[in-house]
Each structure stands twice: as C-alpha cells, then as structure tokens.
Amino acid sequence: QVQLVESGGGLVQAGGSLRLSCAASGHTFSSFAVGWFRQAPGKERELAASISGSGRTTGYADSVKGRFTISRDNAKNTVYLQMNSLKPEDTAVYYCATTKYGTMRTDLYQYDYWGQGTQVTVSS
C-alpha cells in the first residue's frame, strides 16, 4: 500500500541544477525518515541525503555536502532533493526510500519502501 514515486531526473550539464521529488502515499508520511539513495553503474547503492520525519534534521554524504539539499513538505507528502553544482560523478539512478523510524538511518537495510528510481545524467 505504501508507494513512493520519484520524478525530476534528466540530463543536465556539469554545474547545472535539478530538483528531484518523491511523492508518497499509503502511510503516515510525517512519521518516517526518508533517504535519497543513488546508484551509479557498477557501483553499490549509497545514501546521498536523509531527513527525519519532522524535517528538522538532515544528513549528507561528504560527496554531496554543500551542493545538495534535502527537504520535505509533509502537508504535500513529498520529499525533495535540490541538487546544485552537479558533477559528472553525480550521474546515477536516484531512489527515495522510507524507514519505519522517525529518526534518520544510514544503512540500506533500514529502509523498507523504495521508489522506482529516476535517472540523473550529468554531462561534462
């Protein structure tokens, strides 16, 4: 019953920006922390950013810190990932996922529901 749908991916030149959205349904959205993961070809899926259920606490991978901003609008059941100063290394499929916890989690196994992913390609 829980569904997460990502959107906003696409092709962008290095230095450009994209905003990803994750629309949720089927659960009490504000109760659960959400993460944005990414998976590049041939690489393991990794956590790029996470946010607590309340939205008051956020965390970022070192590789994206200062460039990406995660936020949420619980009234709209949506989580966002604003990506600025994009680099070719950011090219990946981006997934949103939700935990059964209200506080942030850092491990892949702690996330229970996943979206289908949206492709982000950054050209050099």
Side-chain angles (χ1 to χ4, degrees):
Q1 291 184 339
V2 176
Q3 294 183 349
L4 302 172
V5 180
E6 303 97 332
S7 62
L11 176 65
V12 65
Q13 292 185 341
S17 298
L18 285 173
R19 189 179 77 159
L20 306 183
S21 298
C22 175
S25 63
H27 66 341
T28 306
F29 183 69
S30 62
S31 297
F32 306 107
V34 175
W36 279 102
F37 289 80
R38 63 185 187 178
Q39 188 166 24
K43 295 187 179 295
E44 198 170 282
R45 192 171 299 186
E46 64 176 2
L47 181 64
S50 59
I51 189 167
S52 63
S54 69
R56 295 184 63 183
T57 306
T58 59
Y60 301 92
D62 288 341
S63 57
V64 308
K65 200 166 189 176
R67 300 187 297 118
F68 290 13
T69 303
I70 188 170
S71 62
R72 67 192 299 161
D73 186 342
N74 287 338
K76 296 182 178 180
N77 294 326
T78 302
V79 172
Y80 305 97
L81 185 67
Q82 179 67 46
M83 304 185 295
N84 298 325
S85 301
L86 282 162
K87 304 175 181 180
E89 308 95 273
D90 297 318
T91 295
V93 177
Y94 284 71
Y95 301 88
C96 67
T98 185
T99 75
K100 59 184 178 182
Y101 310 101
T103 53
M104 295 189 301
R105 304 288 151 161
T106 59
D107 295 321
L108 189 67
Y109 75 89
Q110 295 177 306
Y111 288 80
D112 299 306
Y113 300 100
W114 295 81
Q116 83 290 346
T118 185
Q119 176 71 48
V120 171
T121 302
V122 184
S123 62
S124 59

